[in-house]
Short mmCIF file of all heavy atoms in Angstrom, two decimals:
data_model
loop_
_atom_site.label_atom_id
_atom_site.label_comp_id
_atom_site.label_asym_id
_atom_site.label_seq_id
_atom_site.Cartn_x
_atom_site.Cartn_y
_atom_site.Cartn_z
N SER A 82 106.01 91.10 89.85
CA SER A 82 106.68 91.24 88.56
C SER A 82 105.66 91.25 87.42
O SER A 82 105.86 91.92 86.41
CB SER A 82 107.64 90.07 88.33
OG SER A 82 108.57 89.98 89.35
N HIS A 83 104.58 90.50 87.58
CA HIS A 83 103.61 90.29 86.54
C HIS A 83 102.42 91.23 86.63
O HIS A 83 101.54 91.19 85.77
CB HIS A 83 103.11 88.84 86.58
CG HIS A 83 104.24 87.88 86.85
ND1 HIS A 83 105.24 87.62 85.94
CD2 HIS A 83 104.52 87.15 87.96
CE1 HIS A 83 106.08 86.74 86.48
NE2 HIS A 83 105.67 86.46 87.69
N THR A 84 102.40 92.08 87.66
CA THR A 84 101.21 92.90 87.88
C THR A 84 101.49 94.36 88.20
O THR A 84 100.61 95.21 88.08
CB THR A 84 100.37 92.36 89.06
OG1 THR A 84 101.14 92.42 90.27
CG2 THR A 84 99.93 90.92 88.80
N SER A 85 102.70 94.71 88.63
CA SER A 85 102.91 96.02 89.25
C SER A 85 103.53 97.05 88.32
O SER A 85 104.76 97.09 88.12
CB SER A 85 103.75 95.91 90.51
OG SER A 85 103.89 97.19 91.09
N VAL A 86 102.69 97.92 87.81
CA VAL A 86 103.18 99.09 87.09
C VAL A 86 103.85 100.05 88.08
O VAL A 86 104.81 100.74 87.72
CB VAL A 86 102.01 99.75 86.33
CG1 VAL A 86 102.43 101.06 85.70
CG2 VAL A 86 101.45 98.80 85.27
N ALA A 87 103.38 100.08 89.31
CA ALA A 87 103.94 101.00 90.31
C ALA A 87 105.41 100.66 90.59
O ALA A 87 106.26 101.56 90.68
CB ALA A 87 103.13 100.93 91.60
N ILE A 88 105.74 99.38 90.74
CA ILE A 88 107.14 98.99 90.97
C ILE A 88 107.96 99.28 89.72
O ILE A 88 109.08 99.80 89.81
CB ILE A 88 107.22 97.51 91.41
CG1 ILE A 88 106.63 97.36 92.81
CG2 ILE A 88 108.68 97.02 91.39
CD1 ILE A 88 106.52 95.93 93.31
N MET A 89 107.42 98.99 88.55
CA MET A 89 108.12 99.31 87.31
C MET A 89 108.42 100.81 87.24
O MET A 89 109.55 101.20 86.91
CB MET A 89 107.26 98.89 86.11
CG MET A 89 107.88 99.23 84.76
SD MET A 89 106.76 99.00 83.37
CE MET A 89 105.62 100.38 83.62
N ASP A 90 107.45 101.64 87.52
CA ASP A 90 107.66 103.08 87.48
C ASP A 90 108.71 103.54 88.48
O ASP A 90 109.52 104.43 88.17
CB ASP A 90 106.34 103.84 87.71
CG ASP A 90 105.40 103.77 86.51
OD1 ASP A 90 105.85 103.41 85.41
OD2 ASP A 90 104.21 104.07 86.69
N ALA A 91 108.72 102.97 89.67
CA ALA A 91 109.74 103.34 90.66
C ALA A 91 111.11 102.96 90.16
O ALA A 91 112.07 103.73 90.32
CB ALA A 91 109.45 102.66 92.00
N LEU A 92 111.23 101.80 89.53
CA LEU A 92 112.55 101.36 89.00
C LEU A 92 113.01 102.26 87.86
O LEU A 92 114.23 102.45 87.67
CB LEU A 92 112.47 99.92 88.54
CG LEU A 92 112.37 98.88 89.66
CD1 LEU A 92 112.05 97.50 89.07
CD2 LEU A 92 113.64 98.82 90.49
N LYS A 93 112.10 102.81 87.10
CA LYS A 93 112.47 103.72 85.99
C LYS A 93 113.24 104.94 86.49
O LYS A 93 114.06 105.48 85.76
CB LYS A 93 111.20 104.22 85.27
CG LYS A 93 110.61 103.25 84.30
CD LYS A 93 109.41 103.93 83.63
CE LYS A 93 108.71 103.00 82.69
NZ LYS A 93 107.50 103.64 82.11
N VAL A 94 112.97 105.37 87.70
CA VAL A 94 113.60 106.58 88.24
C VAL A 94 114.97 106.27 88.83
O VAL A 94 115.78 107.16 89.01
CB VAL A 94 112.66 107.23 89.29
CG1 VAL A 94 113.27 108.50 89.88
CG2 VAL A 94 111.32 107.51 88.68
#
Side-chain angles (χ1 to χ4, degrees):
S82 303
H83 319 292
T84 64
S85 182
V86 173
I88 292 173
M89 177 190 72
D90 286 345
L92 289 169
K93 281 182 183 177
V94 181

